[in-house]
């Protein structure tokens, strides 16, 4: 999923495997990534599709990683004006590295395009 830091959706939530965020959830994530202020994330977690995820170990490289107690992870990285976000239920470290790497690659490509 890619959305603007202002909360605007850049992708359709209609795909059966889409990660769905409310506008308020997207705005909060965008604001925290823009300001690099994760105090709300540390205290209250990140809400994605109504589920609260708490910081796992903080970051995986430049990718912010948050975890739900039921072994679900959300990976996020911001660009100049957007946020790239992915969701996983895999606890396999190899899978997690691939997902974090994909989020990082997409965000880096968007930054190179000025987005």
């Amino acid at each position: 999923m890619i959305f603007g830091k202002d909360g605007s959706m850049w992708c359709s939530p209609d795909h059966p495997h889409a990660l769905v965020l409310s506008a308020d959830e997207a705005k909060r994530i965008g604001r925290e990534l823009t300001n690099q202020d994760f105090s709300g994330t540390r205290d209250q977690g990140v809400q994605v599709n109504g589920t609260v995820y708490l910081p796992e170990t903080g970051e995986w490289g430049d990718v912010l990683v948050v975890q739900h107690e039921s072994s679900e992870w959300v990976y996020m990285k911001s660009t100049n004006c957007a946020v790239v976000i992915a969701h996983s239920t895999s606890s396999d470290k190899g899978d997690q590295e691939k997902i974090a790497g994909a989020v990082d690659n997409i965000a880096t490509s968007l930054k190179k395009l000025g987005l």
Side-chain angles (χ1 to χ4, degrees):
M1 153 89 42
I2 303 172
F3 59 90
K5 288 183 176 179
D6 62 356
S8 60
M9 295 298 149
W10 292 18
C11 297
S12 169
D14 296 336
H15 188 277
H17 299 290
L19 181 62
V20 180
L21 285 94
S22 73
D24 288 340
E25 291 170 337
K27 284 179 191 174
R28 178 175 175 212
I29 292 168
R31 183 176 53 251
E32 288 189 359
L33 289 173
T34 297
N35 298 334
Q36 294 294 299
D37 175 11
F38 303 110
S39 57
T41 299
R42 281 191 300 275
D43 297 340
Q44 303 164 9
V46 174
Q47 189 164 328
V48 177
N49 197 21
T51 301
V52 176
Y53 294 82
L54 299 172
E56 182 187 36
T57 55
E59 296 184 10
W60 198 314
D62 289 339
V63 178
L64 177 64
V65 181
V66 292
Q67 180 182 6
H68 184 264
E69 60 191 31
S70 67
S71 299
E72 295 180 30
W73 289 264
V74 172
Y75 305 80
M76 299 175 276
K77 183 173 180 177
S78 66
T79 70
N80 300 334
C81 58
V83 175
V84 178
I85 186 169
H87 173 262
S88 171
T89 57
S90 176
S91 60
D92 179 76
K93 289 293 182 191
D95 289 346
Q96 292 177 350
E97 286 178 13
K98 289 176 188 174
I99 295 164
V103 167
D104 184 52
N105 288 339
I106 294 167
T108 299
S109 294
L110 290 171
K111 278 185 178 181
K112 288 180 182 177
L113 293 171
L115 299 173

